[in-house]
Amino acid sequence: MNTDEIKNIGFGRTLYQMTWPMLIGVLALMSYQLVDAAWIAVLGVDPLAALGFTVPVQQLIIGFQVGLGIATTAIISRTLGAGAAEKARQQGRLILMAGVGLLALLTLLLWLLRPLLLDFLGAEKELRPLIDSYWAPWLLAAWLGGALYLGYSQHRAQGDTKFPGLMMLAVSLLNLLLDPLFIFVFDWGLPGAAWATAVSFALGGLMTYPRIFKKGWISSDLQGLNVVLEIRKLLGTALPAMLSQLMPAFSAILATSLVAGFGTAAVAAWGLGTRLEFFSIVVVLALTMSLPPLLGRFSGAGDWDAVERLLKLAVGFVVLWQLGIALLWLLLSQPLVGLITEENQVSALVQDYLLKLPVSYAALGVCMLMVSANNALGMPLRGLATSILRLFACYLPCLWLGAQWAGISGLFSGALIGNLLAGLLAWVIYRRGITQLRSHGSSV
């Protein structure tokens, strides 16, 4: 899909057509991860605890693969927008080779360093044999999942979000079917869950990669391509994007430690609230996947008016959508909380959370879009700066100030104010960046 075709179809319709498959894919991934944890919980406390020690390491791997995926989409889509189709095919091959290799190196390193990592995480010695039996297939699954994600990113860079969205759904459903078979029928226990994921990802790759080659998106050679420059370009986009992905996890640890000072009920309410928040912004998450290929095409073509029109359309939609979600939470908070928990103290705190925080998700959504847009337009350092300032100059300080002012309720108010400030700051950073791009242009 080239820029003229996008304009003929219309920005709104194109964005819709590219976003809904990503929405289905994200929801499918969320569902399979929840069900995966539920099956493991049936095995008992020790397997569930062993699973828990993979969470921070998994966040590292996901941040790494998402950073590579963002770079893939940004670089190739800008090159295609500039009309350099053969160069885009060469970049596609180089990025796949480098990305799959780097992911393999990371997972191998994590396997070799697992004793040190488990010591740092405080894993008990009694759990080590169980964790070791799980980590080998789990790291294999993580590498296969990362390679599959790079294949999805190649599709997104070409403007195809339908195939990766439907593949995420198919792979998640397959994983759900294989879980009980591998865990209970084959009696593989906890490692069975990892093998189910590995097989699902491998089959997904067998569907995804032949399609990439069949479509002619990968060049047969790299002759004439400045490999060193392209690797630098890849890492220059991927590394800031990786750090941006890891910032929220680090921030969540600090926020939870602050909430913990108000007792167990506060932690429980905060945990429930943040889980509901994830579902509240799932449409924004889908947009951060579907919008960058379009922005990359138009920026590569030097059509900055189209870039701004497209981004303003996305921002306007997110603000209206999230305000609608906030109204929905306002109306449903009391009956919904009654279904989630029967603890009166927790229930009251969750209701307070839902009365205050959702109205700020519009600003949070704008901030997320700005980070994504900065990466897509070749401004990854501005995207990283936006993430850092959002969390450490707006969100966390407002949380702390709110807690000092009015306890846990004030902390919720501080989170609201922090998100609003972050959205405004993100827009200002983006505007300064796009002004410079319009003045000086960019090259592929």
Side-chain angles (χ1 to χ4, degrees), residues 28 52 71 75 92 114 124 132 168 193 202 209 233 235 242 309 435:
I75 292 170
R114 74 189 185 286
E124 298 175 359
D132 282 347
M168 285 194 287
Y209 275 87
K233 191 185 298 184
L235 295 179
M242 289 174 194
R309 283 174 55 201
T435 300

Side-chain angles (χ1 to χ4, degrees), residues 259-280:
V259 173
F262 296 99
T264 304
V267 174
W270 183 260
L272 287 172
T274 52
R275 283 168 176 77
L276 293 174
E277 176 182 303
F278 190 79
F279 283 96
S280 299

Side-chain angles (χ1 to χ4, degrees), residues 5 24 52 59 61 94 99-100 135 141 174 192 194 211 278 293 303 360 364 367 404 423:
E5 290 173 333
I24 292 174
Q59 289 176 333
I61 296 173
L94 179 63
V100 170
W135 269 42
L174 180 60
R211 190 172 190 268
F278 190 79
D303 192 344
S360 71
L364 175 60
C367 189
Q404 301 304 308

Side-chain angles (χ1 to χ4, degrees), residues 360-381:
S360 71
Y361 293 163
L364 175 60
V366 170
C367 189
M368 293 168 64
L369 282 183
M370 293 305 102
V371 172
S372 184
N374 282 317
N375 288 326
L377 298 174
M379 302 186 292
L381 291 179

